[in-house]
Amino acid sequence: MFRLLALEERGVLTPGHVRLAASSVGRSVRTVQRWLQTAREEGRTARKPRPRFTVTDEVHARLALWCGNAAAVHRELLAQAHASADDSPDGGADGEPAAGTGSGGGVAVPSLATFQRAVRRDLNAGQRAALKGGERARRAHDVHLARPVKWRNACWEGDHKHLPVEVELDGQAVRPWVTWFIDCARNTITGVAVTPHQPSRDAVLAALRIALSRDESGGPYGPIGGLPELVRVDRGKEFLCATVTRALGALAVPVQDLPARRPELKGTVENLNHCVVDMFLVALPGYLHAPTATTGPRARRGDLEGLLSFTEFTARLLDWVRWWNTEHRPQPLAGRTPLQAWQDDPTPIEDVPPALLHSFTLEDAGGEKNLSTKGVYWRGRYYVGPWMHGMDGTRVRVRFVPHHDHEIEVFDAATGAHLGPAHLADAATAVQRAALRRAKDAQRRTMVRALASADRQRRRLGRYGAVTGPGRPEPLAALTAAEAEEQLAAAAGSALAKRALPDLIPPREAPASWARPIHRRRPAAPGTDAGASPPAPGAAHAPGGGPVDGADVEAAEEGGRP
């Protein structure tokens, strides 16, 4: 329209221009002429907006209050409109709201279908999902950008994964954790470490050590490895601890700390976390998310029958890692395996010297130690090794793997040369460790039973009957008068102040050598008997039995003896 209006203002508009514009937009010539007439008279070229219901901020807030229940919000709006119509003098005679009232865009409250259509039109899919599931559900509808594909070892991503499978370890069912690193450019798994509990920095260092080393002869990783240019992790404390950052910093490898709860920023390793479940764990006997034939809650596993041992599970996981690197053909690699894509990349690989890899996972204990005939003393315990013979008096430094205090590595303090490993001198046997673990488990079960019993008593005393209308619920704990008196008596008897019983033992007579308080005689009032009146109850007496006089009081105050 703006072009036709401009031609008309210049006086060069012809019917041919109108026919050309009409054929271009797929409208008739009469329709385009009507648009021109409207633009001349009303000064607008867009379609005239129709009054309709829109989702305002107030309606959006009510939808959030009702967790996206549009029908409930519609009922509230209708009730509010009816109340306003009843209170206003121009309301309808039969209680209907007047035209133009309501809470949406200046029009009356529409029908439920119109209201739901307005919600779908004014709120996108992410906003509607956030009303029910919050920010996590909203993020599922976000659009994420893909990072450009670089070269091998340009960037690694690392993460922990709590595997949904149970394995047997020392007579118990445990859920293992896996810590691994993957090359973002070629989808190759560079290093893996498995722990039966939540991993710490020792698992990160162990996986990094495997990832940095390369085994040309084979293994689950093969020639994959080397020194990366960047390691990308989320805000896991195990990845950002001083030990890991210092170890990577010594090799000039920066660690990029990504924001928490943003898995899309490290999509390569997150995709690996999903793939290990769908492609490997679902076929194992201890998989926890397998479908069941019942509609009730999933029963907890009570026995170890059929579970894989931790050793067998680790072997199968490493076999799956080998399959991923050598046989799996991901779609981004255009029909190649990760190993083939790795070998086809001409980017040179920078290897870490084996001497540095030996101490990569070790943390320095700080300070020098003296090697004596008992070994090396560290953290209150002695460590010995067969290579220590004849080295009494040597100054050494201790390095250790975090949380692995059964073995340390000893280095010469002067030259830094590696002398050898040292083991705990008086280590507990497997039988002793098992007995200690059973004792701890027994204490834990006792505590669990006590807490469960207390919870049952709390629920029994705090239960109320159901009500069908507004009112105070009645307690269900029925007690007889005798039971109530018995419980009150037991509670009173348990008070420490009443159990002290201070009057149980009567006081004894004080020794005669003690200084006693003196009772002064008061002069008799005129007209009264000047004789000695009987002492008041509780008055002081001399050791002989009679009352004491004022001279004795003065002597007692001066510290003398009567």
Side-chain angles (χ1 to χ4, degrees):
M1 286 298 100
F2 75 93
R3 175 59 177 168
L4 297 180
L5 291 174
L7 293 175
E8 187 178 29
E9 290 179 0
R10 291 161 51 188
V12 295
L13 181 63
T14 63
H17 292 133
V18 178
R19 286 193 299 269
L20 179 60
S23 62
S24 299
V25 298
R27 294 292 187 270
S28 65
V29 176
R30 184 180 295 275
T31 301
V32 175
Q33 290 176 349
R34 188 171 64 251
W35 290 352
L36 278 173
Q37 184 65 23
T38 303
R40 296 190 198 101
E41 296 176 356
E42 302 181 8
R44 61 178 178 84
T45 58
R47 179 179 297 180
K48 185 178 180 180
R50 295 182 302 172
R52 63 182 183 182
F53 185 88
T54 58
V55 178
T56 61
D57 293 340
E58 178 188 357
V59 176
H60 196 180
R62 294 194 181 191
L63 286 171
L65 174 64
W66 284 96
C67 298
N69 190 343
V73 177
H74 184 260
R75 287 193 298 268
E76 278 194 353
L77 294 178
L78 282 179
Q80 180 180 351
H82 280 287
S84 300
D86 293 340
D87 296 339
S88 62
D90 56 345
D94 53 354
E96 292 296 329
T101 62
S103 301
V107 299
V109 179
S111 63
L112 177 59
T114 304
F115 182 81
Q116 293 173 340
R117 186 166 56 250
V119 171
R120 291 192 299 268
R121 181 185 63 246
D122 297 339
L123 300 181
N124 57 38
Q127 292 173 329
R128 295 195 302 269
L131 295 175
K132 295 182 178 180
E135 178 64 15
R136 183 184 296 273
R138 188 200 64 80
R139 287 187 179 183
H141 298 269
D142 287 347
V143 177
H144 308 294
L145 300 177
R147 287 191 172 93
V149 179
K150 296 184 178 181
W151 49 93
R152 63 183 180 186
N153 283 346
C155 177
W156 289 358
E157 289 180 356
D159 197 11
H160 298 307
K161 175 63 177 177
H162 197 190
L163 302 179
V165 64
E166 287 186 344
V167 298
E168 185 273 332
L169 177 64
D170 293 339
Q172 295 182 351
V174 298
R175 288 183 58 187
W177 289 70
V178 60
T179 304
W180 45 22
F181 290 87
I182 185 172
D183 181 73
C184 298
R186 301 296 175 250
N187 282 349
T188 53
I189 300 177
T190 57
V192 177
V194 187
T195 54
H197 48 73
Q198 186 172 1
S200 58
R201 61 185 186 273
D202 62 327
V204 179
L205 291 175
L208 272 176
R209 181 175 180 178
I210 295 296
L212 293 176
S213 61
R214 295 202 300 150
D215 185 8
E216 298 288 349
S217 60
Y221 316 103
I224 300 171
L227 198 60
E229 299 180 11
L230 176 68
V231 175
R232 187 183 296 131
V233 297
D234 57 9
R235 294 195 174 184
K237 62 180 181 179
E238 300 85 9
F239 290 97
L240 297 178
C241 65
T243 305
V244 176
T245 54
R246 185 167 52 248
L248 289 174
L251 300 175
V253 177
V255 178
Q256 183 181 4
D257 180 19
L258 299 176
R261 296 177 179 86
R262 295 292 300 276
E264 70 276 3
L265 298 180
K266 50 183 182 67
T268 306
V269 71
E270 292 293 342
N271 178 67
L272 179 62
N273 291 337
H274 292 293
C275 289
V276 71
V277 176
D278 298 336
M279 304 170 68
F280 172 63
L281 298 181
V282 292
L284 297 184
Y287 182 60
L288 298 178
H289 298 165
T292 60
T294 61
T295 58
R298 185 183 300 274
R300 298 190 62 182
R301 196 178 185 93
D303 55 3
L304 304 177
E305 183 180 359
L307 293 183
L308 298 177
S309 65
F310 185 81
T311 304
E312 185 178 358
F313 168 78
T314 306
R316 291 195 183 188
L317 179 62
L318 294 180
D319 289 339
W320 182 82
V321 170
R322 182 186 295 105
W323 172 86
W324 174 279
N325 286 339
T326 59
E327 300 181 25
H328 178 52
R329 301 179 186 273
Q331 182 179 2
L333 299 183
R336 298 177 298 173
T337 65
L339 180 59
Q340 291 174 351
W342 177 275
Q343 293 175 340
D344 294 343
D345 195 330
T347 306
I349 300 177
E350 184 178 359
D351 291 324
V352 183
L356 294 180
L357 275 180
H358 180 77
S359 59
F360 178 79
T361 58
L362 302 179
E363 184 175 350
D364 198 326
E368 298 182 0
K369 309 291 181 182
N370 186 39
L371 198 156
S372 64
T373 55
K374 295 182 179 180
V376 178
Y377 188 75
W378 179 62
R379 288 185 177 179
R381 297 184 290 185
Y382 281 98
Y383 292 81
V384 296
W387 53 268
M388 293 183 179
H389 297 294
M391 301 185 65
D392 182 22
T394 305
R395 302 293 294 177
V396 297
R397 297 185 68 91
V398 173
R399 295 180 181 176
F400 62 98
V401 178
H403 306 291
H404 291 245
D405 53 356
H406 63 283
E407 181 181 7
I408 61 175
E409 298 290 339
V410 184
F411 295 79
D412 189 270
T415 63
H418 178 241
L419 300 179
H423 299 269
L424 191 62
D426 189 15
T429 63
V431 177
Q432 292 173 331
R433 292 195 301 269
L436 180 61
R437 185 170 58 252
R438 288 194 298 269
K440 291 182 178 180
D441 291 342
Q443 294 180 1
R444 180 182 59 83
R445 288 192 296 269
T446 302
M447 181 193 66
V448 169
R449 286 195 299 268
L451 293 178
S453 176
D455 188 61
R456 287 193 299 270
Q457 296 179 8
R458 191 182 301 111
R459 289 197 303 268
R460 185 172 63 252
L461 296 177
R463 295 185 65 87
Y464 292 85
V467 296
T468 58
R472 181 180 179 82
E474 294 294 333
L476 296 180
L479 292 176
T480 63
E483 291 175 346
E485 293 294 338
E486 182 180 356
Q487 293 185 10
L488 290 176
S494 61
L496 296 180
K498 296 183 178 181
R499 292 178 62 184
L501 303 178
D503 300 331
L504 181 61
I505 303 177
R508 295 181 300 175
E509 181 68 20
S513 59
W514 284 17
R516 298 167 178 260
I518 305 301
H519 175 70
R520 295 180 181 273
R521 290 182 178 179
R522 296 181 179 180
T528 59
D529 189 5
S533 60
H541 293 269
V548 296
D549 56 7
D552 295 336
V553 173
E554 295 177 357
E557 291 177 352
E558 295 177 357
R561 299 288 181 180

